[in-house]
């Protein structure tokens, strides 16, 4: 799921949904959305799919919401968006070891690619998610980088700063893996800056932790401590950040 955060032109409902979402209250945000329309059904499904990725729970609720969105979808754009969420849910389940749904994820994102026209706003998020699959399930950093770059360019073109914060971070992660410290540091810093400006609290701790990986001491420790503070504030969300933020045990050997 993407989204621009809050601006002066946002309607009160979407502002409330954004504020809850950014504070890891996805179910509360979804409950605000009126049922029965394709757009709100899709948004509700996207919120609950995102909760699965960040918390590793709520799988059945996300599945139910997604089925509703798929049933209500009309036209290629809505069907493509629903397929994109289907692919993300299957990706999250595979990534977290709930069940291997990698083939389903690839098929759903392939279906979305056939439905969402090149240049459409939804294509940026689709390309980003195809990059996630390439990087984390297919272990193909070259394909992931190409997909992230397409998503990055489209996020700029469609003025989607939240998605841009994700593409900056994942491109920086690949740069760090290749030993390109300056490039990685720049990308992680841009991701953090955007998330802080948007008030995307649930994504700020991961951004801080990623930047810490590219920084030297004492700055790295300061960033990780700030990430831990936010992680605790949000009740241990995102769950996958716990291992990265756990300090070494006293007296533990270090490499």
């Amino acid at each position: 799921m993407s989204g621009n955060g809050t601006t002066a032109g946002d309607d009160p409902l979407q502002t409330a949904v954004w504020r809850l979402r950014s504070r890891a209250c996805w179910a509360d945000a979804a409950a605000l959305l009126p049922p029965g329309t394709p757009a709100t059904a899709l948004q509700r499904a996207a919120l609950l799919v995102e909760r699965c990725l960040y918390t590793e729970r709520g799988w059945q609720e996300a599945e139910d919401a997604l089925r509703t969105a798929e049933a209500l979808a009309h036209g290629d754009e809505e069907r493509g968006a629903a397929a994109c969420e289907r692919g993300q849910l299957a990706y999250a389940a595979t990534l977290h070891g709930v069940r291997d749904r990698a083939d389903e994820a690839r098929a759903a994102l392939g279906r979305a690619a056939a439905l969402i026209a090149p240049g459409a706003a939804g294509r940026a998020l689709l390309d980003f998610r195809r990059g996630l699959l390439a990087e984390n399930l297919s272990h193909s950093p070259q394909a992931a980088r190409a997909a992230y770059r397409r998503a990055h360019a489209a996020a700029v073109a469609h003025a989607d700063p939240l998605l841009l914060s994700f593409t900056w971070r994942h491109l920086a992660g690949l740069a760090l893996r290749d030993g390109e410290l300056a490039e990685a540091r720049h990308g992680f810093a841009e991701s953090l800056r955007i998330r802080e400006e948007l008030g995307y609290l649930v994504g700020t701790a991961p951004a801080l932790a990623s930047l810490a990986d590219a920084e030297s001491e004492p700055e790295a420790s300061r960033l990780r401590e700030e990430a831990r503070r936010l992680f605790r504030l949000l009740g241990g969300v995102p769950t996958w950040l716990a291992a990265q933020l756990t300090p070494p045990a006293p007296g533990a050997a270090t490499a």
Side-chain angles (χ1 to χ4, degrees):
M1 185 181 182
S2 187
N4 296 332
T6 57
T7 68
D10 281 345
D11 68 73
L13 173 61
Q14 289 302 324
T15 296
V17 168
W18 166 255
R19 286 175 177 167
L20 288 167
R21 175 194 176 193
S22 66
R23 288 159 177 77
C25 300
W26 294 279
D28 292 338
L32 292 180
L33 297 167
T37 72
T40 55
L42 183 61
Q43 187 179 7
R44 186 173 184 276
L47 286 164
L48 296 177
V49 168
E50 187 172 78
R51 180 178 68 165
C52 293
L53 183 64
Y54 278 74
T55 70
E56 301 180 55
R57 59 185 179 84
W59 302 97
Q60 190 57 54
E61 293 92 335
E63 186 69 43
D64 292 345
L66 187 51
R67 286 198 186 107
T68 298
E70 289 168 338
L72 290 174
H74 297 297
D76 286 352
E77 187 174 348
E78 289 174 357
R79 291 189 184 97
C84 190
E85 293 304 329
R86 168 68 61 190
Q88 182 71 352
L89 183 61
Y91 164 77
T94 306
L95 187 72
H96 288 312
V98 176
R99 184 157 60 89
D100 186 351
R101 297 172 61 180
D103 288 344
E104 181 187 350
R106 292 187 184 96
L109 294 187
R111 188 162 65 252
L115 291 165
I116 301 173
R123 195 80 185 197
L125 181 60
L126 172 61
D127 280 334
F128 173 69
R129 288 175 171 176
R130 296 179 94 178
L132 292 176
L133 257 69
E135 180 179 5
N136 298 316
L137 300 189
S138 299
H139 306 292
S140 175
Q142 296 88 352
R145 184 179 288 106
Y148 291 150
R149 283 176 174 165
R150 290 194 303 271
H152 190 87
V156 171
H158 291 283
D160 188 342
L162 182 59
L163 181 56
L164 201 58
S165 80
F166 281 92
T167 55
W168 271 123
R169 181 166 171 261
H170 283 266
L171 283 167
L174 293 176
L176 183 63
R177 179 167 155 172
D178 290 342
E180 301 291 341
L181 273 179
E183 183 181 342
R185 194 176 296 120
H186 173 70
F188 288 140
E190 283 297 296
S191 178
L192 176 61
R193 176 187 63 79
I194 292 169
R195 291 179 179 194
E196 288 180 335
E197 287 178 357
L198 292 175
Y200 188 53
L201 194 61
V202 73
T204 300
L208 286 162
S210 293
L211 182 56
D213 288 342
E215 289 284 3
S216 54
E217 295 295 351
E219 181 65 5
S221 290
R222 185 194 71 78
L223 291 165
R224 286 194 185 94
E225 186 52 43
E226 178 64 11
R228 286 188 196 101
R229 186 186 70 79
L230 287 174
F231 180 71
R232 291 192 295 266
L233 179 67
L234 292 174
V237 176
T239 54
W240 42 262
L241 198 57
Q244 189 176 347
L245 292 178
T246 301
T254 57

